[in-house]
Amino acid sequence: AVYNSMLDQQENEMPELVWQGLANSKEMQALSEAQRAEFRKEMREESARMSKRVRELFSLRIDFPQVIEDVSYELYDKYFTESELRDVVAFYKSPTGRKSIEVLPKMFAEAMSATLERIKPQAMQIATELSNEEGERIRKKLLIETNTPPVKPGPGRRGRKRS
């Protein structure tokens, strides 16, 4: 449930975060409103397709419940004594413990959403900055490639006469 909550949150937030980073770029501003709308639609569709594929591949290649169980055993063993584990088991058998099992994934998803919402302005600023940096790097690279003078022939190749 936690894994699905994380993926759901990522699927909902990521396309908008990426769009916000791209929306103010020169390249995007050069497009017509219709072109920007089409690009945004395609980006969302592509994101949904990729998310679906990620879920597919993870479910085929990773036994997530087994991984969680293995990691949990190791961590519980590391941080709790046998007596404390009995207390934990008793808690999870109680009404409050059962409710915790039910609501913690939802709480985690809401916490992720609230966290992303709070950092969204900074994240968008960072995405824009990175987009601008990458655009500048590419422009410089293209400038260097297009302004490179032709290679001159070496001294031994200028038509010297052989004796």
Side-chain angles (χ1 to χ4, degrees), residues 75-142:
L75 291 175
Y76 276 94
D77 186 48
K78 180 178 178 179
Y79 289 103
F80 292 95
T81 65
E82 189 173 330
S83 173
E84 291 168 331
L85 285 173
R86 283 192 192 95
D87 294 341
V88 170
V89 169
F91 168 73
Y92 282 120
K93 286 182 177 181
S94 74
T96 305
R98 287 193 301 273
K99 182 176 180 178
S100 295
I101 291 169
E102 180 185 327
V103 301
L104 281 175
K106 295 173 191 169
M107 286 177 55
F108 181 76
E110 286 181 35
M112 290 292 293
S113 180
T115 299
L116 288 173
E117 192 60 37
R118 287 187 187 180
I119 67 167
K120 194 179 220 176
Q122 295 94 336
M124 290 188 328
Q125 184 180 14
I126 290 167
T128 300
E129 186 176 320
L130 290 174
S131 176
N132 291 340
E133 286 175 7
E134 188 62 12
E136 185 60 28
R137 185 188 69 77
I138 291 169
R139 281 189 284 283
K140 283 180 182 178
K141 183 178 179 184
L142 290 173

Side-chain angles (χ1 to χ4, degrees), residues 9-20 40 43-44 47-48:
Q9 193 62 40
Q10 180 268 331
E11 287 171 8
N12 290 333
E13 299 288 335
M14 192 55 69
E16 185 61 26
L17 195 60
V18 171
W19 174 254
Q20 292 300 323
R40 189 173 190 177
M43 191 183 75
R44 283 190 176 153
S47 180

Side-chain angles (χ1 to χ4, degrees), residues 32-44:
S32 71
E33 190 62 38
Q35 288 171 317
R36 281 194 300 274
E38 181 61 26
F39 182 83
R40 189 173 190 177
K41 178 183 170 219
E42 288 175 12
M43 191 183 75
R44 283 190 176 153

Side-chain angles (χ1 to χ4, degrees), residues 16-28:
E16 185 61 26
L17 195 60
V18 171
W19 174 254
Q20 292 300 323
L22 292 173
N24 296 322
S25 70
K26 287 186 226 178
E27 296 81 7
M28 198 59 66

